[in-house]
Amino acid sequence: MIFNDMLKKKKTDNPETPEVDQENIDNNAVQPEEQAEVNTPSAEDVLKEELALANDKYLRLFAEFDNFRRRTRTEREEARKMEGKDVITALLPVLDDFERALKATENATDVTSVREGVMLIQNKLKNTLTQKGLVPMESIGSEFDADIHEAITNIPAPTEDMKGKVIDEMEKGYYLNDKVIRFAKVIVGA
């Protein structure tokens, strides 16, 4: 006991030498490492953060694509609704002419003037459709071609050179911008 008292007295008497606690030295040495571990995220935390960023980016990209798809579908539907607008607008004057012709036939006594009026309307309609790219097929006298003709029937050819050729046309065929839009219904010589 006397020895302990002497040690305590010696420690308090000598203020120049600070009291050194061995446990504190060991704890202080561990603390910087613990702080480094606390400040540096683990590999698992880094991967979780990268996964969250990737998921967020994916969701945003998916939403943007979904909006693009919806917008494109709406624009296509609108375009389909309005795609025949030019042709219909061009045909409206012809429709007006037909209405005027019908009114004129109610009181008309001369058939030739009505016929001339109808022929004028027909020419106007043909010109309008030609401007839009419609071209009639010339089938009579040409070789039968299954790509553009539809054979209704075969009849005996009037001459030997008319065999396999179109003799008569029941319904005219048409091209629209160099593509067949209606096959010509024809009678073929056998």
Side-chain angles (χ1 to χ4, degrees), residues 81-96 124-125 128-129 131-132:
K81 288 179 185 176
M82 300 305 288
E83 64 189 11
K85 178 184 173 188
D86 295 338
V87 174
I88 291 172
T89 304
L91 291 177
L92 286 176
V94 177
L95 183 62
D96 294 337
K124 188 174 188 177
L125 178 62
T128 303
L129 292 174
Q131 289 172 356
K132 297 298 177 186

Side-chain angles (χ1 to χ4, degrees), residues 57-126:
K57 184 178 178 182
Y58 168 75
L59 288 174
R60 289 178 189 276
L61 186 62
F62 183 78
E64 185 178 327
F65 178 73
D66 194 40
N67 290 338
F68 167 76
R69 190 179 60 202
R70 237 182 274 133
R71 184 176 57 246
T72 304
R73 185 182 325 131
T74 305
E75 288 172 359
R76 264 191 260 141
E77 287 172 5
E78 288 296 320
R80 266 190 226 118
K81 288 179 185 176
M82 300 305 288
E83 64 189 11
K85 178 184 173 188
D86 295 338
V87 174
I88 291 172
T89 304
L91 291 177
L92 286 176
V94 177
L95 183 62
D96 294 337
D97 288 344
F98 272 119
E99 289 175 1
R100 283 191 286 273
L102 284 173
K103 283 183 184 177
T105 59
E106 291 173 1
N107 301 327
T109 56
D110 186 20
V111 178
T112 57
S113 63
V114 173
R115 188 173 196 288
E116 288 175 8
V118 172
M119 287 175 57
L120 288 172
I121 295 171
Q122 181 187 22
N123 288 335
K124 188 174 188 177
L125 178 62
K126 282 182 179 179

Side-chain angles (χ1 to χ4, degrees), residues 122 125-126 129-130 133-139 147-149 169 171-185:
Q122 181 187 22
L125 178 62
K126 282 182 179 179
L129 292 174
T130 301
L134 188 72
V135 177
M137 286 183 195
E138 297 299 328
S139 298
D147 291 334
I148 59 173
H149 299 126
E169 192 173 51
E171 195 173 87
K172 199 164 209 42
Y174 290 95
Y175 297 104
L176 181 63
N177 299 324
D178 298 328
K179 291 186 180 181
V180 177
I181 62 167
R182 186 168 88 177
F183 297 99
K185 294 183 180 177

Side-chain angles (χ1 to χ4, degrees), residues 27-42:
N27 286 342
N28 286 339
V30 172
Q31 282 180 351
E33 289 174 4
E34 287 176 358
Q35 287 175 350
E37 286 179 12
V38 170
N39 291 341
T40 306
S42 68

